[in-house]
Every structure is written in C-alpha cells, then in structure tokens.
Amino acid sequence: MFHEAETPLGFVSRLAAANGYPSLEAFLDCTETNTSAISRGDADAMALLAKWSGEDSAELGRFATRTLDDKLCFGLGDAVFSREYRRGKTHRFCIRCVQNDIRHGEGRTASRPYVRAWWETKAVRTCPFHGSRITEMTCDNGKDDFASFVRSNPHVFADASGTEGDLRPMELDLYLIDRIRGVKVFPFLDGLETYVVAGLAKYFGRFLHRYRCDDVNENGSFDTMDDAEYGFHAVKLGQAHISDLVSTLLLDGSPALKDEAAPMEPIPPWLRRNLDTPAYATLVELFQDLAERNLPLGEGDTCILPTRKRYRHTVRSASVEYGLMEPRIVELLTKAGLLQAGTATRAKVSFDAELARPILQAAQDTLSLTEAAAILDLSGPRLHEIIEAGLLPRVEADRGDLRVYTRIRRQDLTDFQRRLFKRAQTRVALDGYLPIVKVAHRCNCQLRELVEMVLQDQLEGIVRAGDDLTFPNLFVNLKEAQEMRRRLVKEKIGIKLLTIRDVAAVLKTTQVKVYPLVRSGLLPSISRLNPSRRQRQPFIEPEALEAFQRLHVSVAEIATIYGTRADLIAQRMELLGVQPSLDPGSRSGRYYRRRDLDKFTYDRLAA
C-alpha cells in the first residue's frame, strides 16, 4: 500500500522487501530502471512503478527529489530546497514513526516502515507527530535502501528509551512540511522559496539572540530557544513586523549586544553570499533598506549592497560631513530634540539625517569667533566684547552657567560690516583721525563703546582708510570721540553732578585742595562709578556746593578781597583767635566760616 506522503524510492524499497528480494538493488536488477530515475521521479520510472503497484503515477512521483538547477537546488513536493538541505548518503527518520509502522503496519516487517517526504531534507529537524528529533544514520555501504536498513538494524528501533515524553514539534518544521505538501499559511513567507525561509529563520534568530539572550517559551519558562525556531516566531508575523522589530533593536540597542560594530550580523554576510540568487532578492532589498534607514551608513558604504542614501548620522559622521565640532552638534541636536540630553559623542548614537540637515546646514553657514575675528582683523577678546554687548548677534542665546559656543551667521557679520562703514567717508585727510581701536585706548574706554557710538550715528568724523571693511581701516576723529565719551559718561553718571575738577573750577582752586573738603565731610559728596576710569569716585551735587559756599570761604578768596597774600590773612586770623573750619595742614588751604568774617579786621598799611 502506498502512503500519502511517501517518497517513490522508499516505496520501491518496500516493494522489494515485500516481494522477498534481499535488497532494492537486487530487485531493480530485474527491471528497466534504477534508483536515480526513481528518486528524481522520472516519468518512465513512475509509469513502470504505477504498473507494478496499481497506484497513480502522478501521486507516486509527487514527493520525488528533483534537481532544479546547476546550484543543485531540489524540489520536494511543492517546496524548493538548496543543496545544503540534501540528506546525502544518510537515512533520516523518526524512530517512533518507524516503531509505529512496524507495530501497526501490514505485510512483512521490513516492508512496513515507509519514508516520509520531510525526511528527505535536513531543513526539517523534528517529527511533526512526536516532536522528537529526526535521527540521521549513514547508509549501509552507501546503498539508499531504507527497508534493508530497517531489517539490518533492529537494535536501532528495538529500544524505545528516550523517545517517549511530552515533546512538541518545532513550528518551523511544521511550516516547512506544509510547504512541501503545498499548504500556505503565512503570506510573506509563502512568497519566498522554502529554503530561503529556513535560512531567514536561522539567521534572524541569531540576530535576535544577539540583542535578547533569552526568551519566554510557550510554557512560561525563561529558556534559550533554538536560533531557527526563535527566528521563525518573529518572521512568520510578516514583513511589517520584521521591519518594526529590526528598527527598534537597531535604534535602541541592547546591553546584550557585544559587537556594536556589526549590529545586523549575521544577516548581511548571509545575504551577500547569495546576491546572485534571484530567490533572495526580496530579502536583500528588505534588509538593505532597513540597514540604510536605521544605521548611520553613508552613500557608498556597503551593508549588503552599496548604500544609496544616508538616512542616519552619528555625531562623528555629521562632524565630518558638516565640518562642525562634535560637542557643537550634540548641543544643537539636543536643543532640537533629536538627541537625548547627556548624549556622548559615541559612534553608536545616531539620529535622523533628514531632520538634522536644516539645523546643521544653518550651523554650517556660521563662523566661529576666531573666523569672524580674522575677517574683521580684530582680536578675539575685542570681538567678544562687541558680541556680549549685543552689537553683533550670535546664534546661541545665553544659557545661564552653561557654556555657549559662539557662532555668528555669515549674513549677520556682513550686515554688521555694512552698518559700521555706512557713513564712513573716503578721500579725506586723516589729520586728527586714528584707527578706532587706538581711539578707544586714548579715550580710556572699551572698543564696544565706540562701536556703539558709530552704529547709533553719534559720531560724524568717520573715515574708511582702505578697501576692506576691517577695523584697521575704520578711523574716527579723536577729539570728537573724546568729547562724546565725556558727555555720555556725564549723562550716565548724572548731568547735574559735579566732578572734583568742576568744583575746583567753581571754587577757583585746585583739585588737590578740594579733596580735603570732601574727605572731611565739609563738602558733602556721593560716590558713583566713573566708566572712563572704571572705578568709583566722589561727585558733588550743585545744591551741596551752593550750601558750602554760603557757609564757608577760602583764605585765598579773603586775600583777594583785601588784595594781599593768603598767608598774611591766615596770620591775622590766628592773631584774632579765629579758628578755620578746615585746616588741611597748610595756611593757603584753610577755609573759614563766613560768620567769623565779622571778627576780622585787616590794616593793609600796617601789614
């Protein structure tokens, strides 16, 4: 009796045993065919076999192993397998299936066990009925005669130990058997050749195990699974699931991943070995696209094929492409939300190249402080003063105590130069003019203050001394700048406040003689920061000076009234017993109360 999933060669082997022949070879010697013709399902051989058995020739040859091409791929039922899955000169069988055949079959004992179609390929590793591993044993003398093998090795099938128990067949094996039988259940996998599915499950499982060392089995135990079975659990869910899973693993990474330099291994090498085989084209395209979209590959970099477009960058690769410093890139992309805060410049961390492109291109069109200073022919610290004053905008805003990378848009720098030289005259004699940097030094002020005067049109005397819009070519009138500087300082301090010099002029004395008045408190003062000197100094309010003049008079002023010398007035005051309101230690610097002048008499002739 011919069985549904039986191979033609296995059936002929049983016929030989059932008819009392000592071997398949002895039986075929009496016929017009041979084992090769029967094994590959040759039409004439199947017709002859149908004549012997009364079975349909098409059914007899359905599970023959047919070589399909020069790469030795073979067809088995409705499935196609590559040569690595040929069983070769071995018998493959399930011991429990053979025992059941012997126990429940009909006819001679040696003719009862029949060869199942899935035993013909090494791709199937477990029995679909018993879950036990398929056993492999070398053919006796290289003879592919299963009935003779069973008869010659009764000890193999006599001991049932190790074959009992609650075993489950692998899902991958069940799927491959369905493909052999022509049953299709998973659309994505069904579109691939069967041997491609077997390879995909194995290599995808290895890929997953690199990221996830363990997985939970159906019984709830946390055990390591077979690579191919583990991979099949994922790939059977379809292309979209594969894409999502690969993207998640590649982008998130895993502490279990030891070799970060090859995140998709071992899939790319497997597919590269099979680039010339059309059956792999779908997977080549799928995994090449996944690599390009989830790994920082540049154009021309090879994963499976040369990369066609860059989708992701690392901080390092972006630094090379855009010419920006790595910390600068981290700062910009962290601010934009493309990198997490605290990201280091590791090659493993990647980000979306398209989303980052406008950000990095804008940053690329900027200048560093050093580059901008070179264009303006100005020292870095001086340019930094100008930027800090807000006269030349920079890309970054102040972030408190965090470091700011000073970058200046090229267009902003050009606009700054244009505004700086907008009112500058040419072909003007430079007498009384100096470069603005030197004028700042002569005015005892910062360069930014003069630059602000120029930009706010507060200076008229501006000359451009050369073709380049640089600071050495920007000349300003020294006297005008000094006067404007004094006026601005006075406005900043307070227009009504008087300096020591101003008070000395009003009192018709020297500054040296005014300081004792201030120190003694006789002339009240207030302390203010003088921007010119960058230090605090005393200033006097006009009202305080007027009050002082109403109450006090200098010995010099009294001497002027009487047309004599100050020392003579001081001697006379001493003779009269009039005490000075201020005695700085010298007679010429004394001050007296005006009310005490009523006591004063002076005879010029007597003096």
Side-chain angles (χ1 to χ4, degrees):
M1 182 182 70
F2 179 73
H3 297 278
E4 176 202 1
E6 188 172 5
T7 65
L9 187 60
F11 180 53
V12 175
S13 177
R14 289 199 306 116
L15 282 179
N19 286 281
Y21 285 88
S23 68
L24 173 63
E25 184 178 24
F27 174 67
L28 292 180
D29 285 343
C30 303
T31 69
E32 299 174 356
T33 187
N34 54 56
T35 56
S36 296
I38 296 172
S39 178
R40 67 174 178 263
D42 182 80
D44 291 339
M46 294 302 101
L48 187 60
L49 184 56
K51 181 179 179 181
W52 295 338
S53 64
E55 301 287 345
D56 181 70
S57 60
E59 289 298 318
L60 290 171
R62 173 160 168 67
F63 296 108
T65 54
R66 305 173 305 279
T67 299
L68 302 178
D69 53 32
D70 58 356
K71 292 190 176 182
L72 301 182
C73 286
F74 65 97
L76 180 62
D78 285 3
V80 176
F81 294 93
S82 58
R83 62 181 179 181
E84 66 181 291
Y85 294 114
R86 287 183 178 273
R87 65 180 175 87
K89 295 297 182 179
T90 62
H91 292 297
R92 302 185 78 253
F93 52 88
C94 169
I95 292 178
R96 292 177 65 180
C97 285
V98 174
Q99 290 172 336
N100 286 341
D101 291 344
I102 293 173
R103 187 177 301 116
H104 303 294
E106 298 179 356
R108 295 184 177 184
T109 302
S111 67
R112 294 175 185 177
Y114 70 95
V115 177
R116 280 73 168 169
W118 49 88
W119 293 355
E120 290 293 290
T121 174
K122 289 185 176 182
V124 178
R125 295 170 297 158
T126 58
C127 175
F129 301 107
H130 303 108
S132 55
R133 285 275 177 177
I134 299 295
T135 302
E136 293 188 8
M137 296 187 69
T138 304
C139 296
D140 296 335
N141 299 317
K143 305 297 184 179
D144 195 357
D145 183 356
F146 189 68
S148 294
F149 172 80
V150 174
R151 182 172 55 232
S152 303
N153 296 278
H155 62 282
V156 174
F157 308 101
D159 185 6
S161 62
T163 63
E164 299 296 335
D166 185 17
L167 300 176
R168 298 177 63 90
M170 291 187 178
E171 285 192 38
L172 173 61
D173 291 339
L174 295 177
Y175 173 78
L176 296 178
I177 293 170
D178 281 342
R179 288 291 298 269
I180 292 171
R181 287 175 161 174
V183 178
K184 296 184 177 182
V185 290
F186 300 119
F188 173 67
L189 297 183
D190 295 341
L192 304 173
E193 293 291 8
T194 311
Y195 69 94
V196 176
V197 174
L200 172 62
K202 177 174 67 174
Y203 289 105
F204 198 77
R206 291 180 183 175
F207 164 75
L208 291 180
H209 271 140
R210 295 180 68 227
Y211 286 85
R212 301 172 177 175
C213 291
D214 302 295
D215 195 56
V216 180
N217 287 331
E218 292 183 4
N219 61 8
S221 63
F222 199 65
D223 300 317
T224 300
M225 298 178 67
D226 173 86
D227 286 337
E229 185 71 357
Y230 189 23
F232 181 74
H233 284 176
V235 299
K236 73 179 182 181
L237 300 178
Q239 182 173 342
H241 178 75
I242 294 173
S243 298
D244 291 343
L245 182 56
V246 171
S247 297
T248 299
L249 293 176
L250 293 182
L251 294 179
D252 293 348
S254 169
L257 184 61
K258 295 180 180 179
D259 184 8
E260 295 182 358
M264 286 189 70
E265 297 291 320
I267 295 174
W270 168 59
L271 293 177
R272 285 197 297 268
R273 290 194 299 270
N274 295 284
L275 278 177
D276 296 333
T277 304
Y280 288 88
T282 298
L283 295 185
V284 168
E285 180 61 31
L286 170 61
F287 285 99
Q288 175 66 27
D289 185 67
L290 286 172
E292 291 182 3
R293 292 180 182 277
N294 298 287
L295 296 177
L297 299 174
E299 293 185 12
D301 291 347
T302 298
C303 178
I304 302 167
L305 300 171
T307 298
R308 297 154 293 194
K309 178 182 177 181
R310 179 186 282 281
Y311 287 91
R312 297 195 71 77
H313 259 306
T314 63
V315 173
R316 198 160 299 156
S317 64
S319 175
V320 173
E321 179 173 333
Y322 291 96
L324 301 172
M325 298 296 289
E326 292 180 11
R328 166 82 172 143
I329 292 174
V330 170
E331 178 188 10
L332 289 172
L333 299 187
T334 300
K335 183 178 180 181
L338 297 182
L339 287 177
Q340 293 183 351
T343 297
T345 58
R346 295 174 296 161
K348 180 181 176 182
V349 179
S350 65
F351 50 86
D352 192 301
E354 286 301 314
L355 294 178
R357 186 183 303 280
I359 299 169
L360 298 181
Q361 284 181 338
Q364 190 180 32
D365 195 34
T366 61
L367 301 166
S368 67
L369 181 70
T370 302
E371 292 169 334
I375 292 174
L376 296 173
D377 198 0
L378 187 66
S379 70
R382 289 290 179 87
L383 180 56
H384 185 71
E385 292 175 8
I386 293 172
I387 294 172
E388 287 295 315
L391 303 176
L392 174 59
R394 64 181 168 199
V395 176
E396 301 84 353
D398 185 15
R399 300 184 300 150
D401 59 347
L402 298 179
R403 178 181 176 184
V404 174
Y405 291 91
T406 298
R407 302 289 299 187
I408 302 157
R409 292 184 183 87
R410 195 177 296 274
Q411 184 59 49
D412 288 340
L413 182 64
T414 301
D415 291 343
F416 174 74
Q417 290 175 293
R418 179 185 55 78
R419 290 187 295 122
L420 201 59
F421 284 87
K422 179 179 65 174
R423 297 171 53 252
Q425 305 174 62
T426 57
R427 299 179 183 178
V428 174
L430 296 179
D431 294 339
Y433 287 81
L434 288 175
I436 191 169
V437 176
K438 290 185 178 180
V439 172
H441 180 71
R442 296 284 290 273
C443 290
N444 195 27
C445 68
Q446 293 182 331
L447 176 62
R448 65 173 178 79
E449 297 178 66
L450 291 184
V451 170
E452 187 173 7
M453 293 181 196
V454 172
L455 296 178
Q456 293 182 356
D457 299 338
Q458 294 175 338
L459 295 178
E460 296 294 332
I462 307 171
V463 174
R464 176 177 167 181
D467 295 332
D468 297 331
L469 302 182
T470 60
F471 273 85
N473 288 335
L474 183 62
F475 281 63
V476 296
N477 186 282
L478 175 60
K479 289 185 177 180
E480 182 188 6
Q482 289 174 326
E483 180 58 34
M484 178 58 67
R485 166 69 175 161
R486 282 193 293 267
R487 186 170 68 82
L488 293 177
V489 167
K490 195 170 185 64
E491 289 178 356
K492 189 171 183 179
I493 295 173
I495 297 178
K496 294 183 179 181
L497 294 180
L498 303 173
T499 64
I500 297 297
R501 177 185 295 179
D502 296 333
V503 172
V506 173
L507 297 179
K508 298 178 181 180
T509 186
T510 63
Q511 296 182 60
V512 173
K513 294 180 178 179
V514 174
Y515 281 111
L517 294 173
V518 173
R519 285 195 297 268
S520 67
L522 199 63
L523 179 58
S525 66
I526 58 176
S527 178
R528 292 285 175 84
L529 178 66
N530 187 339
S532 297
R533 296 185 177 183
R534 300 187 184 92
Q535 63 183 13
R536 301 187 73 82
Q537 69 179 57
F539 291 88
I540 292 87
E541 294 178 314
E543 295 80 2
L545 181 59
E546 291 176 2
F548 172 79
Q549 288 179 300
R550 286 196 302 269
L551 298 175
H552 305 276
V553 61
S554 67
V555 68
E557 186 177 348
I558 298 172
T560 300
I561 295 173
Y562 288 96
T564 186
R565 301 196 313 269
D567 61 319
L568 297 178
I569 297 296
Q571 290 176 2
R572 182 61 180 170
M573 288 291 190
E574 291 174 358
L575 291 173
L576 295 174
V578 178
Q579 297 297 320
S581 57
L582 174 67
D583 185 359
S586 64
R587 288 178 172 177
S588 61
R590 291 178 180 176
Y591 276 81
Y592 293 90
R593 298 175 182 84
R594 289 188 179 274
R595 68 172 182 265
D596 289 337
L597 292 182
D598 295 339
K599 304 175 184 178
F600 181 74
T601 58
Y602 182 73
D603 186 349
R604 183 174 182 182
L605 293 178

